[in-house]
Amino acid sequence: MQMHSIAKTLKAKYLSTGNFSADILSLQLSDIPLEMPDPQQLHILRLSSLLNTSTLEKINLACISDIPYETEALKFPDCNIILLPQSWNELEAFNKIQDLLDEDLCFMVNYIRLKEAIIGGQSPQQFVDLCSEILGNTVIVSGKDTKLITRSHLNDVKSILWDEHGKYGFFSESTVESNQYRAMQKKLYNSPSPVILRKMISDYTTITGKIEIDNFQVGYFSVMDTEKPVTKSDKRMVAAICDLLTYYFKNNYSHENEETLERNKKIQYLLKGGKDSRRFDFYTEIACLHLDAGYRIMIVKHKSRRESLAVLLSWTMKLMPGRAIAEYGENVVVILDNDYHDEEARLDRFASEHDLYIGISEQATTADKFRECYDRALKAVELGLLLGEKKRRFYYSDYAVFHLWQMLSEYSDLSQYCHPAVPRLLEYDRSHRTDFSKTLQVFLRHNGNMSSTAETLSIHRASLLYRIEKLQELLDIDLNDVKTRNYLYASFQMMWILKYKH
């Protein structure tokens, strides 16, 4: 066991001034360190004895801090030192560290057994039975969509996980929608390592870890305290088991993860701009949709990268089961058909809860539009945020005209195309500290409807009528004219792009 791991577990201070391996296999109680120490042996002594020693070479020390010290005094040229609390005695230190070494040895022995089982070609059932034997509890392996892959054989288990896996082969909709399940998923979502879940959706505490291939989640491994309490040391074994299962799924093509991973690769090919229709059967293999019936690309984007992309991918797949979902770049990509509108409320809650943004492209019907739709879904988020929209879900169709002005601004000065009344009104507002431009923009957005404009501005209809008359007089324009209103509205859009460009 590594010196730094021992110190971390003991919550002790670790100092290293040596450059040799410090993998500890045995302990020794020492008043004075040996002249020819074993580099894999840890010597336990009091700090006072250490500081009375003149020369030390290639030695590992666990020192009880029985006297005050300065860190500078402990910089021996070639030593690894753990500083233990003053309240400990030598025997207590020996027993605690020996327990750690025994635990580490037990872990390595069991890890080798599990590794040999995987490499030796044992079936998933044989492997989970061995996991159950080692952990002393019930274990379950399931897919990312909660579908049961295999589980150990223990009786009299009272658990939603156990009962529904046995009855349906996956979790019921009521379980997946429950507050307890959502809370459990949130803990898993935010943790890169296995987590202890204390009786969240059953009568048992579990340790659950994620199985991931190339940052793409394919399943879960769980151990339940059906026979004995789970411990923090079990988390280390669960993490190792998840790594071994990753190896198994990578090299075994009889499970559903192959289909998921292959579909992920195919979607990525299309998003990169692939157009060779002979390479894939777009109608069945890519998205399990009839593309000629229409599809949209939805992107799910982090506001800030606090969680891994794999975690975001897993949550999106759980939120929208059955959808074609893949990761691409820094985002999660979902292929939507025409039946996605019922999911809008759930998407908004999901994005708000996890601090995400969602962009949705316009509709397309051919596979060669995948990349274009992806770019436009991204552009919808970019422009929505640029314009200060206070929402989480952005449709490209709402920002297509802004995108047009943005592209045009790369080649020409937009200000020369604006209605002259717009910059004049903006200057008037700045000079007179008024807000007529806001009134006009809301009026134009509501297509000249006085009632809805007044409601949006939270003013009386008579007040709005006065403002409109004042605007017409000030700008010498007729706001009853549809062409004038359209020109003014487009001009405000161009001014927005100019403002943020500069």
Side-chain angles (χ1 to χ4, degrees):
M1 189 174 186
Q2 293 289 318
M3 286 277 284
H4 66 84
S5 297
I6 295 174
K8 183 178 179 181
T9 307
L10 295 175
K11 294 183 171 56
K13 188 173 182 180
Y14 173 52
L15 303 172
S16 175
T17 55
N19 56 7
F20 65 98
S21 173
D23 198 5
I24 305 303
L25 299 180
S26 63
L27 297 179
Q28 175 72 44
L29 289 172
S30 306
D31 286 332
I32 300 175
L34 302 176
E35 293 183 3
M36 298 289 291
D38 183 342
Q40 292 186 312
Q41 191 170 64
L42 179 61
H43 295 266
I44 301 174
L45 72 162
R46 293 186 173 272
L47 186 56
S48 55
S49 298
L50 172 64
L51 295 180
N52 288 328
T53 303
S54 58
T55 305
L56 295 170
E57 292 184 1
K58 291 189 181 298
I59 190 167
N60 305 304
L61 303 167
C63 300
I64 298 168
S65 306
D66 60 332
I67 59 172
Y69 66 91
E70 293 182 3
T71 304
E72 291 295 324
L74 301 179
K75 288 188 176 179
F76 293 91
D78 213 1
C79 294
N80 292 290
I81 303 172
I82 297 174
L83 295 177
L84 303 174
Q86 181 182 3
S87 58
W88 288 18
N89 58 49
E90 289 92 330
L91 185 59
E92 181 181 8
F94 184 95
N95 289 335
K96 286 187 176 183
I97 297 174
Q98 187 62 57
D99 287 345
L100 291 180
L101 295 181
D102 291 343
E103 184 181 298
D104 191 61
L105 177 62
C106 180
F107 170 84
M108 291 307 301
V109 169
N110 286 326
Y111 179 75
I112 291 171
R113 292 177 65 195
L114 291 166
K115 188 174 181 180
E116 289 176 344
I118 286 286
I119 295 175
Q122 288 194 9
S123 68
Q125 185 61 60
Q126 291 172 314
F127 181 75
V128 299
D129 287 343
L130 179 56
C131 292
S132 178
E133 176 194 331
I134 289 171
L135 291 166
N137 277 309
T138 303
V139 301
I140 298 174
V141 179
S142 60
K144 63 191 173 303
D145 54 359
T146 79
K147 185 176 180 181
L148 176 66
I149 295 177
T150 187
R151 63 185 185 179
S152 61
H153 297 297
L154 290 179
N155 298 321
D156 300 323
V157 176
K158 297 178 181 178
S159 165
I160 291 177
L161 285 80
W162 187 265
D163 294 341
E164 293 190 345
H165 269 160
K167 184 176 181 180
Y168 309 116
F170 51 85
F171 290 166
S172 66
E173 184 176 352
S174 60
T175 296
V176 172
E177 294 295 329
S178 68
N179 291 332
Q180 297 96 324
Y181 185 82
R182 289 177 183 272
M184 180 185 76
Q185 284 293 311
K186 188 173 182 179
K187 289 194 70 172
L188 288 170
Y189 176 85
N190 291 319
S191 176
S193 59
V195 296
I196 297 179
L197 305 168
R198 303 192 182 280
K199 300 184 178 181
M200 298 194 73
I201 59 171
S202 72
D203 295 331
Y204 298 100
T205 294
T206 71
I207 298 177
T208 298
K210 293 174 285 191
I211 306 166
E212 297 178 342
I213 299 177
D214 299 328
N215 293 322
F216 181 78
Q217 187 172 341
V218 297
Y220 296 98
F221 176 88
S222 297
V223 54
M224 305 161 56
D225 65 343
T226 54
E227 302 297 319
K228 66 182 184 68
V230 292
T231 64
K232 288 184 178 180
S233 62
D234 289 333
K235 287 178 65 177
R236 183 184 179 193
M237 182 55 70
V238 170
I241 290 170
C242 288
D243 288 342
L244 291 171
L245 286 170
T246 293
Y247 172 85
Y248 175 80
F249 284 123
K250 268 188 173 181
N251 294 278
N252 187 294
Y253 296 98
S254 63
H255 290 276
E256 64 177 357
N257 69 293
E258 178 198 12
E259 176 187 347
T260 303
L261 292 172
E262 282 302 309
R263 185 169 64 181
N264 185 61
K265 291 177 183 177
K266 293 170 182 177
I267 293 174
Q268 289 184 351
Y269 167 78
L270 290 174
L271 290 170
K272 290 175 183 176
K275 299 179 181 180
D276 184 1
S277 60
R278 294 170 297 177
R279 186 168 176 181
F280 303 126
D281 179 359
F282 296 125
Y283 293 88
T284 56
E285 290 189 69
I286 296 296
C288 300
L289 319 157
H290 294 291
L291 297 186
D292 55 355
Y295 71 90
R296 300 173 192 267
I297 296 294
M298 182 179 88
I299 62 103
V300 183
K301 182 181 183 66
H302 288 280
K303 181 179 180 182
S304 57
R305 287 300 303 274
R306 293 183 301 180
E307 299 88 16
S308 70
L309 186 59
V311 167
L312 178 57
L313 181 68
S314 172
W315 266 85
T316 307
M317 295 180 79
K318 185 68 68 175
L319 181 77
M320 307 181 77
R323 297 287 186 187
I325 300 175
E327 59 187 78
Y328 187 74
E330 297 294 320
N331 309 300
V332 168
V333 178
V334 185
I335 302 176
L336 301 175
D337 55 24
N338 291 322
D339 298 326
Y340 71 93
H341 292 288
D342 294 340
E343 298 173 285
E344 289 178 336
R346 283 201 303 154
L347 285 173
D348 288 341
R349 288 195 302 269
F350 170 66
S352 179
E353 180 180 355
H354 300 293
D355 206 14
L356 306 170
Y357 293 125
I358 292 171
I360 300 176
S361 74
E362 77 281 32
Q363 185 171 324
T365 56
T366 57
D368 60 358
K369 296 291 184 182
F370 265 63
R371 176 66 197 201
E372 183 178 322
C373 288
Y374 171 78
D375 290 338
R376 290 187 173 181
L378 282 175
K379 182 60 68 173
V381 175
E382 176 196 323
L383 290 172
L385 296 177
L386 184 72
L387 296 170
E389 300 275 14
K390 304 297 183 183
K391 56 186 179 182
R392 298 281 180 172
R393 179 166 40 89
F394 304 91
Y395 288 93
Y396 178 77
S397 56
D398 294 334
Y399 305 100
V401 175
F402 284 100
H403 189 196
L404 173 63
W405 301 139
Q406 188 182 55
M407 290 189 294
L408 181 60
S409 71
E410 299 298 324
Y411 302 97
S412 184
D413 181 6
L414 290 183
S415 60
Q416 63 181 317
Y417 299 105
C418 290
H419 193 297
V422 171
R424 196 161 74 244
L425 179 61
L426 292 172
E427 180 58 35
Y428 181 89
D429 279 344
R430 278 193 293 270
S431 301
H432 294 78
R433 298 184 179 181
T434 55
D435 204 7
F436 282 117
S437 58
K438 178 181 178 181
T439 299
L440 180 55
Q441 287 180 71
V442 175
F443 178 78
L444 296 171
R445 197 177 306 133
H446 287 273
N447 199 25
N449 186 293
M450 300 290 284
S451 298
S452 59
T453 302
E455 183 180 347
T456 300
L457 292 170
S458 300
I459 60 175
H460 195 274
R461 184 184 173 94
S463 298
L464 175 62
L465 184 59
Y466 166 77
R467 292 187 190 182
I468 296 300
E469 290 175 350
K470 178 71 174 177
L471 280 166
Q472 292 186 116
E473 177 186 343
L474 181 67
L475 302 176
D476 192 23
I477 55 175
D478 179 11
L479 292 176
N480 291 316
D481 182 68
V482 174
K483 292 180 180 179
T484 299
R485 291 203 305 266
N486 289 341
Y487 189 7
L488 289 168
Y489 192 42
S491 298
F492 275 115
Q493 292 174 327
M494 287 187 274
M495 294 300 290
W496 268 106
I497 293 300
L498 285 172
K499 175 182 176 182
Y500 284 103
K501 183 177 180 180
H502 298 294

